[in-house]
């Protein structure tokens, strides 16, 4: 059972880390198609979000962190992140938020929460898949919303980091909604 689970875990990372790059390497596409792909690189496969194991780990970790969070006034992940941001840039924005949470939060709380490292690896993997995802048009509002989030996190100190862990389930859902196509598993699916 244990070794099967480990195998599954290993397989998950292998698919995520190896399969996608191979797909690109293995098919020397004509330049135009490469362009088209590059222009649509703010996309993640739906299956990334449909694996029960990692979804459960992420949600469980968030639930654990929320037990230690008594501040209900502040929130990092929410619709306010999208203020003045065009829908086509939502995925890029969530990519940036993911980066902050992985680098500034999860990496520091690895010892505090048992699943933090695994969830960090998963999110890091998605971030890598979005490595070609660039903003379209002006970046000024994106940067300003990101800065506001960072400032608030700094202001809240350790509590802020813990709060960000408590919002990992939201981050998971927002990333899915912003970066995958098709019908969403969450309440909102504003694609057009
Ligand atoms: C992709 O974007 C590049 C500029 O980044 C542009 O030159 C090219 O025409 C675009 N290709 C498609 C298929 O939209
Ligand atoms: C979800 O994960 C937690 C923590 O690893 C585990 O205790 C729980 O049993 C899992 N839930 C299900 C339904 O497998
Ligand atoms: C949250 O709880 C801590 C102690 O665990 C306390 O010091 C702090 O004042 C509380 N914050 C709020 C907003 O209630």
């Amino acid at each position: 059972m244990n070794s099967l689970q480990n195998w599954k875990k290993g397989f998950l990372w292998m698919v995520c880390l190896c399969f996608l790059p191979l797909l690109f390497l293995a098919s020397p596409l004509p330049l135009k198609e490469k362009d088209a792909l590059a222009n649509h690189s703010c996309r993640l496969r739906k299956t990334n979000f449909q694996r029960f194991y990692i979804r459960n780990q992420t949600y469980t970790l968030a639930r654990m962190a929320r037990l230690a969070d008594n501040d209900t006034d502040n929130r990092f992940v929410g619709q306010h992140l999208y203020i003045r941001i065009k829908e086509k840039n939502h995925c890029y924005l969530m990519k940036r938020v993911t980066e902050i949470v992985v680098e500034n939060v999860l990496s520091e709380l690895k010892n505090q929460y048992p699943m933090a490292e695994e969830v960090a690896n998963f999110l890091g993997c998605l971030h890598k898949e979005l490595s070609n995802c660039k903003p379209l048009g002006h970046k000024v509002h994106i940067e300003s919303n990101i800065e506001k989030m960072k400032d608030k996190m700094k202001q809240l100190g350790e509590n802020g980091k813990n709060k960000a862990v408590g919002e990992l389930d939201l981050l998971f859902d927002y990333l899915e909604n912003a970066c995958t196509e098709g019908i969403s598993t969450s309440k909102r699916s504003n694609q057009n």
Side-chain angles (χ1 to χ4, degrees):
M1 187 62 192
N2 218 12
S3 70
L4 178 67
Q5 270 179 352
N6 282 340
W7 181 84
K8 274 188 196 158
K9 258 189 256 175
F11 186 69
L12 177 74
W13 305 138
M14 196 200 72
V15 168
C16 183
L17 289 170
C18 309
F19 188 70
L20 190 86
L22 276 181
L23 204 66
F24 282 105
L25 282 178
S27 53
L29 294 169
L31 208 61
K32 258 190 190 159
E33 281 177 52
K34 265 189 190 161
D35 265 359
L37 265 183
N39 294 356
H40 292 94
S41 52
C42 291
R43 281 279 166 260
L44 291 170
R45 282 158 303 143
K46 198 90 185 154
T47 49
N48 282 314
F49 298 92
Q50 290 169 337
R51 296 186 175 102
F52 175 77
Y53 175 79
I54 195 66
R55 179 184 278 269
N56 181 42
Q57 292 293 82
T58 309
Y59 277 57
T60 305
L61 176 55
R63 217 176 301 123
M64 281 170 68
R66 281 201 298 274
L67 291 176
D69 182 13
N70 55 4
D71 158 27
T72 52
D73 294 338
N74 297 291
R75 191 161 150 188
F76 298 123
V77 177
Q79 285 297 308
H80 62 276
L81 281 174
Y82 291 156
I83 290 173
R84 302 171 81 181
I85 309 291
K86 293 201 171 72
E87 191 168 338
K88 62 187 176 192
N89 281 328
H90 284 185
C91 183
Y92 174 76
L93 185 101
M94 290 317 298
K95 170 190 166 179
R96 295 283 303 278
V97 172
T98 301
E99 194 175 295
I100 293 165
V101 170
V102 171
E103 286 176 7
N104 301 353
V105 178
L106 286 174
S107 62
E108 292 184 22
L109 296 182
K110 268 176 195 166
N111 298 328
Q112 195 169 329
Y113 294 111
M115 310 113 163
E117 182 154 15
E118 202 168 4
V119 173
N121 286 343
F122 168 71
L123 291 173
C125 203
L126 297 185
H127 184 268
K128 207 176 209 170
E129 285 198 32
L130 291 171
S131 58
N132 288 322
C133 177
K134 301 279 185 322
L136 296 166
H138 296 300
K139 284 177 72 177
V140 51
H141 296 309
I142 298 174
E143 293 308 321
S144 139
N145 290 5
I146 293 285
E147 279 312 306
K148 273 185 211 145
M149 178 186 162
K150 280 180 164 171
D151 287 347
K152 178 156 278 179
M153 201 176 279
K154 219 175 274 170
Q155 185 195 324
L156 295 176
E158 282 312 302
N159 238 12
K161 290 197 172 138
N162 192 66
K163 175 176 288 299
V165 178
E167 292 184 356
L168 278 170
D169 53 341
L170 288 175
L171 178 63
F172 189 97
D173 288 350
Y174 268 71
L175 200 57
E176 177 180 14
N177 280 325
C179 302
T180 66
E181 283 174 45
I183 294 155
S184 160
T185 50
S186 298
K187 35 229 169 293
R188 256 171 301 93
S189 69
N190 36 3
Q191 318 274 348
N192 43 59

